[in-house]
Amino acid sequence: MHLLRLHRDGVAVVVDTSHGIPAIVHWGPDPGPLDGIEPLLDRGHPPGTLDMEPAATLVPTAGSGWPGRPGIEVSRGGVPVFPRFAEATCTATATDVRFESHDPAGLGLVGTLDLGEALEISLELTNESADDLVVHGLAPVIALPSTATEVLRFDGRWCHEFHPRRMPWPAGTHLLENRRGRTSHDTVPVVFTGPAGFDESTGVVHGIHVAWSGNHDVVLDRLADGRRVVRAGELLVPGEVVLGPGETYHAPRVVGAVGIGLTQCSQRFHTHVRALLPDRPRPVLLNTWEAVYFDHDLDRLRALADRAAQVGVERFVLDDGWFGGRRDDTAGLGDWWVSPAAHPDGLEPLISHVTGLGMEFGIWVEPEMVNPDSDLHRAHPDWVLGDAAVLGRNQLVLDLGIEECRAHLFGRLDRLLADHDIAFVKWDMNRDLAGAGSHRQTRALYRLLDDLRAAHPSVEIESCASGGGRADLEILRRTCRIWTSDCNDPVERQTIQRGFSHFLPPVVMGAHIGPPRAHTTGRTSRLAFRAATALFGHLGIEWNLLDASDRHLDALAAWIDLHKRLRPLLHGGDVVRLDRSDPDGVAHGVVSADRSEAVFAYSQLTAGLPGLAPPLVLRDLDPDRAYRVEHLAMPGEVLGLGLHQPAWLTSPTEATGRFLTTVGLELPVLFPESALLLHLTS
Ligand code: DGJ
């Protein structure tokens, strides 16, 4: 046994390199120096199986007798290849290890484990033979402790994203599989494991995410010998990746985080993601989609921009409908030139109006798609990817792997950005692929985005796929906002956003204040609840403000002002999700890194049986600090019908962090579908 210990900020990954490819022996709280402890980790081996137990290396192979899903599956000339990778060279620092190994079958494998706030694992495979190599799969296999007996994953659908599902870790193999060709709404590429009943603050919790925007699979293997591993990677359809001599396949990065409780695990994911983002405050935006849909009229859009500026919006985003023959969703997609029908004098009159009001201008595009009824499709029907008979929202997918097609799209988008003062692009993608693998398409998408970013480095991009269908850490290397969901209903959003926050931070979470009556659910909600729900994310407005009353506009301006004041805390602090015993409310907050300030929200979702919610017990505060606890009373806020409401609501009160995290504070009687905000300063 030869052990290496990567360690940082109280977390360690211990790997055994004596099997060639490193095997994770421990990933969790740092156990300290390892000198002389090898005998303690020397695993017994019961009879009745192979003479040597196959190690749970990062890439266990069928060639070594690994009984679970192997980390590598390849074939050559129709014959399976069973590599063994017995030898590897490893180079390590205190926080990373790189290994390289070659198999006589002509395979070169390179991998890295990099421990930052999160653990990043990369693998690449090179065909070192003169004959083609078919890659069926290459993904890291991560060994987890025997205490990881419960699994949390997320599924969903359009307007209902990031819904949590808990289950005991089943015996045998459990497969989470996404074949939609985009990250997907229903198989979110992240799993969390921990001891039975793990919650926000207890249990060693591991989160594992496949940073990839195409097909993926996550395999939970519970072997008969008791070992538990997660294999996370790209799902390849047969024959999709064939390596010619000297060619390399890069597996998607896998990003993991560990923490005591889910919240700490999420915080580590968040810090990792925040390091990828531009270092400037996220501008409050107004998106025109639900305000005007396809009905683009310059005077109306200018009036909307006036209202947006009046309430403090910083970026005005023109959504679908500005180009080609796009008067509804049946035509025009692919024709990326300004429609004279919608904008007779081009976009300039609107853009200069918006920028003249001191706002940035943003625009919607959906470059990967084409309507059959479009000039582009009429000119290039051969650019369609997959089965041209399968439509989704009246559209087909363009094959970005065709050089000419990608170059055409780059040219159109490059012109659009070069000719106009555009600071932001909402990049949409509204259908699954059909009849095609997603490997080439996803790599080509990344290349298109990379090329555009290189040509227009100051333009920020949002990732949207019918709402939150493309939320992953690889797209976030090229974008800085995720459109979380097309559902702006605050009741639905409470669950959607809480789910999202498990691995993605609020600073990338597009969260809009919609109109009083939500377009996607028909539910009517108070402005104060809509705003308190959206406040924590990358705030936006998606509401025809020309319909809003003066009272609502004033209140909206106050909310936007509050968001701007709290923005450094909301987007830079540590997210805290609170466990609650009552099923009728949810609570979460953000605490600054130095613990000097925090903001918490309690949302009453339904009317509780006791009539009064249990006290709000906070967490992650400095126990020895005195905090001033203040109710953030906002215009339009309504509490509930209480004969008496707690005194701290009207007179800010001081208490120590220790008190607030042990005893907590009493909550007022609240109406269902309302929220209470409190601000802590010290
Ligand atoms: C789907 C997106 O999720 C919406 O926000 C909007 O941009 C529409 N597409 C436009 O077609």
Side-chain angles (χ1 to χ4, degrees):
M1 186 172 283
H2 182 252
L3 300 178
L4 288 174
R5 170 174 152 260
L6 315 181
H7 57 103
R8 188 189 144 122
D9 298 339
V11 171
V13 181
V14 177
V15 294
D16 177 7
T17 59
S18 59
H19 308 281
I21 310 278
I24 294 181
V25 173
H26 168 80
W27 172 28
D30 188 354
L34 304 173
D35 310 314
I37 58 92
E38 284 84 352
L40 297 178
L41 297 176
D42 192 19
R43 223 176 120 82
H45 183 42
T49 176
L50 298 173
D51 286 351
M52 235 180 47
E53 186 182 69
T57 71
L58 269 181
V59 189
T61 60
S64 68
W66 176 252
R69 175 98 172 261
I72 179 168
E73 291 167 290
V74 287
S75 67
R76 193 173 266 134
V79 179
V81 176
F82 294 108
R84 285 206 55 191
F85 298 114
E87 303 287 330
T89 48
C90 293
T91 43
T93 70
T95 54
D96 62 66
V97 57
R98 177 186 186 277
F99 62 90
E100 181 171 343
S101 183
H102 302 266
D103 184 86
L107 310 177
L109 182 67
V110 174
T112 56
L113 268 113
D114 189 355
L115 181 63
E117 269 301 313
L119 175 66
E120 230 181 67
I121 305 175
S122 324
L123 294 176
E124 59 183 62
L125 178 70
T126 301
N127 178 12
E128 295 173 339
S129 126
D131 302 313
D132 285 356
L133 181 76
V134 182
V135 181
H136 304 276
L138 176 72
V141 172
I142 299 164
L144 292 170
S146 57
T147 49
T149 56
E150 196 165 295
V151 178
L152 168 66
R153 58 173 292 244
F154 297 86
D155 63 18
R157 59 170 169 77
W158 178 69
C159 279
H160 201 76
E161 292 87 342
F162 306 108
H163 275 243
R165 301 276 173 251
R166 287 257 189 170
M167 60 174 186
W169 188 320
T173 299
H174 187 77
L175 175 63
L176 307 174
E177 183 172 272
N178 164 40
R179 292 178 179 269
R180 295 191 179 276
R182 54 179 175 173
T183 317
S184 91
H185 294 78
D186 51 356
T187 313
V188 180
V190 70
V191 288
F192 292 88
T193 66
F198 69 87
D199 59 21
E200 293 298 343
S201 54
T202 63
V204 174
V205 177
H206 291 87
I208 295 173
H209 165 67
V210 191
W212 182 244
S213 316
N215 295 335
H216 67 261
D217 56 11
V218 174
V219 181
L220 296 151
D221 248 336
R222 187 169 144 199
L223 304 183
D225 60 25
R227 288 180 291 178
R228 290 162 196 263
V229 296
V230 170
R231 179 193 188 277
E234 181 178 10
L235 186 159
L236 296 171
V237 303
E240 191 178 5
V241 172
V242 180
L243 298 180
E247 287 182 345
T248 299
Y249 167 75
H250 298 265
R253 245 181 292 260
V254 169
V255 182
V258 64
I260 305 300
L262 266 168
T263 282
Q264 193 182 49
C265 197
S266 300
Q267 289 172 353
R268 293 199 163 122
F269 272 121
H270 293 181
T271 310
H272 176 85
V273 175
R274 281 199 300 255
L276 306 172
L277 302 175
D279 187 18
R280 61 172 288 227
R282 305 290 77 220
V284 177
L285 61 80
L286 178 138
N287 177 290
T288 60
W289 180 238
E290 287 194 354
V292 302
Y293 291 104
F294 291 102
D295 189 5
H296 287 209
D297 170 79
L298 181 60
D299 288 340
R300 194 142 155 257
L301 289 167
R302 280 203 282 226
L304 188 58
D306 291 341
R307 286 272 163 108
Q310 176 194 332
V311 295
V313 165
E314 297 162 306
R315 177 182 277 168
F316 183 89
V317 183
L318 185 66
D319 210 279
D320 199 352
W322 59 268
F323 54 90
R326 187 76 166 173
R327 303 289 72 76
D328 57 31
D329 69 5
T330 62
L333 208 50
D335 297 339
W336 301 112
W337 36 266
V338 182
S339 155
H343 298 272
D345 300 313
L347 291 175
E348 187 44 35
L350 179 60
I351 295 180
S352 54
H353 188 77
V354 165
T355 53
L357 289 164
M359 295 184 290
E360 293 178 351
F361 185 79
I363 200 156
W364 179 97
V365 293
E366 192 179 358
E368 297 148 82
M369 299 291 159
V370 68
N371 283 128
D373 183 3
S374 66
D375 291 352
L376 184 68
H377 185 257
R378 279 183 281 275
H380 297 285
D382 51 319
W383 284 359
V384 168
L385 176 73
D387 192 332
V390 182
L391 287 161
R393 203 194 183 200
N394 312 305
Q395 63 200 49
L396 295 165
V397 185
L398 289 168
D399 187 346
L400 305 187
I402 299 174
E403 201 71 38
E404 203 193 340
C405 171
R406 199 181 62 250
H408 167 83
L409 292 170
F410 174 83
R412 300 303 319 179
L413 297 169
D414 181 47
R415 266 276 54 85
L416 177 70
L417 298 179
D419 289 349
H420 300 94
D421 185 3
I422 292 175
F424 175 78
V425 168
K426 176 178 174 184
W427 187 292
D428 207 345
M429 197 279 200
N430 283 306
R431 59 157 287 180
D432 296 342
L433 309 191
S438 68
H439 177 76
R440 189 169 94 138
Q441 182 76 355
T442 308
R443 287 276 170 223
L445 165 71
Y446 292 157
R447 181 154 165 220
L448 179 56
L449 284 163
D450 290 343
D451 290 349
L452 272 170
R453 275 162 40 85
H456 303 277
S458 63
V459 175
E460 295 187 349
I461 304 177
E462 171 173 38
S463 169
C464 172
S466 313
R470 189 144 71 189
D472 62 79
L473 295 196
E474 198 54 44
I475 204 71
L476 273 170
R477 289 184 171 267
R478 297 154 178 95
T479 56
C480 56
R481 188 182 207 252
I482 302 281
W483 180 225
T484 313
S485 176
D486 278 351
C487 183
N488 293 317
D489 175 334
V491 174
E492 299 294 325
R493 274 279 180 151
Q494 289 290 333
T495 309
I496 294 170
Q497 296 184 177
R498 195 175 176 95
F500 182 98
S501 78
H502 279 75
F503 71 118
L504 297 170
V507 64
V508 300
M509 182 179 76
H512 293 179
I513 302 173
R517 187 165 181 274
H519 288 201
T520 57
T521 61
R523 184 185 274 122
T524 299
S525 325
R526 285 178 279 267
L527 172 57
F529 188 43
R530 297 183 338 257
T533 304
L535 179 81
F536 288 79
H538 180 176
L539 184 63
I541 312 299
E542 194 166 341
W543 173 7
N544 185 357
L545 297 182
L546 302 174
D547 291 346
S549 65
D550 287 346
R551 189 172 55 88
H552 277 155
L553 290 173
D554 289 347
L556 189 56
W559 279 100
I560 291 174
D561 183 57
L562 176 71
H563 173 82
K564 288 179 184 169
R565 279 190 282 126
L566 293 177
R567 187 160 48 189
L569 168 65
L570 296 173
H571 292 171
D574 292 332
V575 164
V576 179
R577 289 180 304 266
L578 300 172
D579 287 310
R580 301 272 306 162
S581 58
D582 56 319
D584 304 302
V586 285
H588 66 100
V590 187
V591 182
S592 65
D594 67 0
R595 301 289 179 258
S596 64
E597 190 185 2
V599 59
F600 283 90
Y602 171 77
S603 299
Q604 186 77 42
L605 299 180
T606 45
L609 188 58
L612 184 65
L616 186 63
V617 180
L618 306 178
R619 41 169 305 209
D620 280 21
L621 301 176
D622 178 348
D624 298 322
R625 237 178 230 271
Y627 292 93
R628 181 175 189 269
V629 182
E630 189 189 359
H631 166 217
L632 283 172
M634 295 299 294
E637 184 193 54
V638 281
L639 301 174
L641 298 178
L643 295 178
H644 172 76
Q645 298 286 33
W648 68 265
L649 288 179
T650 43
S651 50
T653 307
E654 258 199 23
T656 60
R658 183 170 284 106
F659 183 88
L660 293 167
T661 55
T662 49
V663 179
L665 62 161
E666 289 290 346
L667 286 166
V669 180
L670 288 172
F671 281 131
E673 301 180 11
S674 62
L676 181 85
L677 292 175
L678 47 135
H679 189 204
L680 274 62
T681 46
S682 66

